[in-house]
Amino acid sequence: ARGPAPLLALTVALRTLNCFLVRTSFVPDEYWQALEVAHRMLNINNYGYLTWEWAHGLRGYSYPLIFASIYKALQLLAKDDVQLLIWVPRLAQAVLAAFADVKLYSLVQHLENAETAKCVYFCQLCSWFTWYSCTRTLTNTMETLLTIFALSYYPIKGSKMGSSCKYLALIALAIVIRPTAVIPWIPLVFSHFLQEQRKADFILHNCIPVGLVTVGTSLIIDRVFFGEWVLVQLNFLKFNVLQNLGTFYGSHPWHWYFTQGLPVVLGTHLPFFIHGCVLAPKRYRIFLVAVIWTVLVYSTLSHKEFRFIYPVLPFCMFFCGYSLKHLKVWKKPAASFLLLSNLVPALYTGLVHQRGSLDVMSHIQQLCKNSHQSQAFVFFMMPCHSTPFYSHVHCPLKMRFLECPPDLTGNESYIDEADAFYSNPLGWLNKEFYNDTLLPSHLIFFSVLEQEISSFLALRGYEKTATIFHTHVPEGRVGSHIYVYRKKTEMNH
């Protein structure tokens, strides 16, 4: 593909295929901080669920508003079918990802040449982690895409495409969506500031206006949906950094990103990344600084996840492509190696690993078509937020799951509902459903729990109606399969 148009068409087709080949769940935030919120914003009847973060103003409505707009458009066209509600936001994300891929290509072509651009583009498309993440409705995904767009306007030495206003506006937008987006950009903006001849002008004419417009817009959007003035970014910082409450969701050793995080996310690109860092000219050193700085900053926070460092992956791909281009004789075998070694993890994580939590939703969707919808009551007895919720059901079905908000009051003996349940499942169930009229019509849980609650299931007349594969590597409270149990009396209505 020579021009940008054929390349864009090809990339959109590829990312669309990518979208349909990712049918697994990654982290709960993909639905709970985006689609569930959008579904709730859309619904006049207000059925939907907002997690504790929204009650405490830790998240902003700017990102879910994108999906709420998509939902609204589908609703106005009378096309708000549950399948479209699930796939259209993801397809929108896929198209954006394709635009970002092409932007990366054009940037490298402009900075280097078409040959290097092709190599970087190839590495970007080969990356198993990008394949796994780029079509998901995660704030990390949007943060990464906006980082690529911003990078294409960043005034690096030798670039004629630089535009302070454009790149700063894109960073500001990324920060509104996810405040941590500021981290990779600190060294880049600082470096630009040092190079800038008219420093006062840069701050007065670029930084301040861009900052005021984006923060102002986000404040107004949040004012509309929260019903009061909330500065989300400040709350987010207070919670995650000052109170370090993220540890509630698990903590890792300081070196985790260096020993596991980055090596896993980069996969077989790792040797190419290191080689590219050694080869690349001095003017690209700032990209490497951004990567190392970001990983260092995240290393200081005890709660660590692979997706947190996803926004520096495009910087890494730049070095990988640079390495690939300079391999001369070995270029073709190296490219084949990259493609094949990334294909397996991309397809396995996209189609197999942790797919049960999405597959089970189609069983619940059937209840909406059922005449007994009003009597149905689905109870998810799983680690909290294991599955999506109303965004994947789209009918006012009675549903419940085990909740797990962190304690914000400083109570030492606090135990969340999920932990209370798992410490004694049988006792918890008998106490909670002491009367038969309170019993759910459907129970959904991981296979590891079945043995422990078998007496409750038998006594209360539940029968297994579906077994759904979830993962080959079950651990802890997560089993290899998900079971759907239904109360037998349902059939006699």
Side-chain angles (χ1 to χ4, degrees):
R2 288 201 172 38
L7 183 68
L8 184 62
L10 170 79
T11 319
V12 168
L14 243 164
R15 287 300 180 206
T16 304
L17 175 70
N18 183 169
C19 177
F20 289 117
L21 289 179
V22 174
R23 293 173 170 264
T24 54
S25 69
F26 179 12
V27 284
D29 278 11
E30 189 178 341
Y31 324 104
W32 292 90
Q33 308 300 353
L35 302 181
E36 293 303 328
V37 185
H39 193 268
R40 172 74 186 255
M41 285 159 83
L42 172 85
N43 264 298
I44 305 95
N45 341 352
N46 245 351
Y47 74 88
Y49 184 93
L50 293 179
T51 58
W52 64 272
E53 285 103 328
W54 296 86
H56 293 280
L58 288 182
R59 303 277 180 168
Y61 280 97
S62 306
Y63 183 57
L65 186 59
I66 302 168
F67 304 114
S69 311
I70 292 174
Y71 286 170
K72 191 71 196 164
L74 288 169
Q75 196 182 43
L76 292 172
L77 295 166
K79 291 268 183 268
D80 58 341
D81 167 68
V82 66
Q83 290 305 323
L84 288 175
L85 291 186
I86 293 170
W87 287 103
V88 175
R90 297 206 40 202
L91 282 166
Q93 204 84 44
V95 171
L96 261 179
F99 271 96
D101 294 339
V102 174
K103 256 305 188 218
L104 192 61
Y105 173 86
S106 328
L107 170 70
V108 182
Q109 189 183 21
H110 171 72
L111 290 175
E112 286 289 315
N113 50 44
E115 177 85 14
T116 314
K118 274 181 200 159
C119 292
V120 172
Y121 173 78
F122 175 78
C123 288
Q124 169 75 354
L125 288 187
C126 269
S127 160
W128 79 271
F129 193 80
T130 302
W131 177 272
Y132 181 59
S133 310
C134 75
T135 62
R136 298 184 183 275
T137 52
L138 274 167
T139 50
N140 309 84
T141 300
M142 193 55 108
E143 181 188 349
T144 307
L145 301 181
L146 288 169
T147 293
I148 296 177
F149 290 130
L151 203 54
S152 66
Y153 295 113
Y154 179 73
I156 190 169
K157 287 185 190 127
S159 164
K160 296 179 185 63
M161 286 156 67
S163 158
S164 300
C165 256
K166 285 183 184 168
Y167 98 86
L168 287 169
L170 287 157
I171 300 168
L173 186 59
I175 294 168
V176 161
I177 288 171
R178 193 173 174 85
T180 50
V182 71
I183 298 169
W185 284 98
I186 290 172
L188 288 152
V189 175
F190 185 62
S191 159
H192 172 205
F193 175 71
L194 292 180
Q195 284 166 33
E196 195 64 53
Q197 304 296 311
R198 295 176 293 198
K199 293 181 167 47
D201 279 7
F202 173 62
I203 289 178
L204 287 172
H205 297 159
N206 293 323
C207 300
I208 293 175
V210 163
L212 287 175
V213 170
T214 38
V215 172
T217 311
S218 119
L219 263 175
I220 291 164
I221 292 172
D222 289 335
R223 170 80 180 83
V224 171
F225 292 102
F226 277 116
E228 59 186 354
W229 294 107
V230 176
L231 189 55
V232 173
Q233 290 74 15
L234 189 69
N235 293 346
F236 185 88
L237 183 83
K238 219 162 65 181
F239 177 85
N240 284 303
V241 182
L242 307 177
Q243 294 176 282
N244 200 9
L245 286 166
T247 49
F248 182 79
Y249 295 107
S251 57
H252 298 81
W254 67 268
H255 54 75
W256 188 83
Y257 284 119
F258 293 98
T259 52
Q260 286 177 51
L262 204 57
V264 167
V265 166
L266 276 170
T268 49
H269 284 74
L270 186 60
F272 296 90
F273 170 62
I274 295 167
H275 180 228
C277 290
V278 176
L279 278 187
K282 206 167 164 184
R283 65 185 178 128
Y284 300 130
R285 210 163 281 166
I286 188 65
F287 293 167
L288 180 59
V289 171
V291 175
I292 296 170
W293 159 260
T294 304
V295 176
L296 281 172
V297 171
Y298 274 122
S299 296
T300 63
L301 296 172
S302 43
H303 179 59
K304 298 175 174 66
E305 291 186 41
F306 292 115
R307 63 190 173 110
F308 292 171
I309 52 170
Y310 178 31
V312 298
L313 207 51
F315 295 99
C316 299
M317 290 306 135
F318 180 85
F319 292 106
C320 297
Y322 205 86
S323 158
L324 192 60
K325 185 213 174 240
H326 287 84
L327 285 177
K328 305 277 187 285
V329 188
W330 292 96
K331 196 188 325 178
K332 278 214 166 93
S336 311
F337 164 72
L338 268 179
L339 185 64
L340 295 171
S341 61
N342 278 276
L343 198 63
V344 176
L347 292 175
Y348 180 77
T349 55
L351 292 170
V352 183
H353 180 58
Q354 294 185 356
R355 67 169 295 152
S357 40
L358 293 185
D359 290 346
V360 74
M361 298 315 284
S362 54
H363 290 267
I364 298 163
Q365 287 157 16
Q366 298 309 313
L367 298 176
C368 293
K369 303 186 178 109
N370 204 316
S371 54
H372 303 313
Q373 184 202 315
S374 55
Q375 287 132 354
F377 169 22
V378 181
F379 185 27
F380 296 90
M381 299 192 292
M382 302 161 113
C384 63
H385 309 124
S386 288
T387 62
F389 217 46
Y390 285 108
S391 65
H392 283 54
V393 178
H394 195 51
C395 77
L397 200 62
K398 186 181 178 190
M399 299 199 290
R400 178 184 168 186
F401 65 95
L402 297 167
E403 312 222 6
C404 60
D407 171 53
L408 302 172
T409 59
N411 173 6
E412 291 293 310
S413 57
Y414 172 78
I415 297 178
D416 66 53
E417 187 178 41
D419 282 342
F421 169 81
Y422 279 105
S423 64
N424 177 8
L426 202 57
W428 190 95
L429 285 170
N430 287 324
K431 192 172 152 189
E432 191 71 15
F433 304 113
Y434 56 88
N435 185 330
D436 271 12
T437 55
L438 302 170
L439 286 170
S441 62
H442 293 75
L443 297 175
I444 293 169
F445 52 88
F446 282 115
S447 45
V448 285
L449 192 66
E450 189 179 44
Q451 192 109 42
E452 219 171 328
I453 59 167
S454 54
S455 60
F456 174 85
L457 297 170
L459 204 65
R460 304 299 176 99
Y462 283 100
E463 58 176 349
K464 192 187 297 183
T465 56
T467 300
I468 298 146
F469 170 79
H470 182 64
T471 177
H472 288 121
V473 277
E475 48 180 351
R477 297 169 178 179
V478 177
S480 59
H481 289 75
I482 293 174
Y483 294 153
V484 179
Y485 269 79
R486 184 181 60 185
K487 201 158 166 31
K488 285 181 191 151
T489 50
E490 294 293 305
M491 296 156 67
N492 312 335
H493 276 305

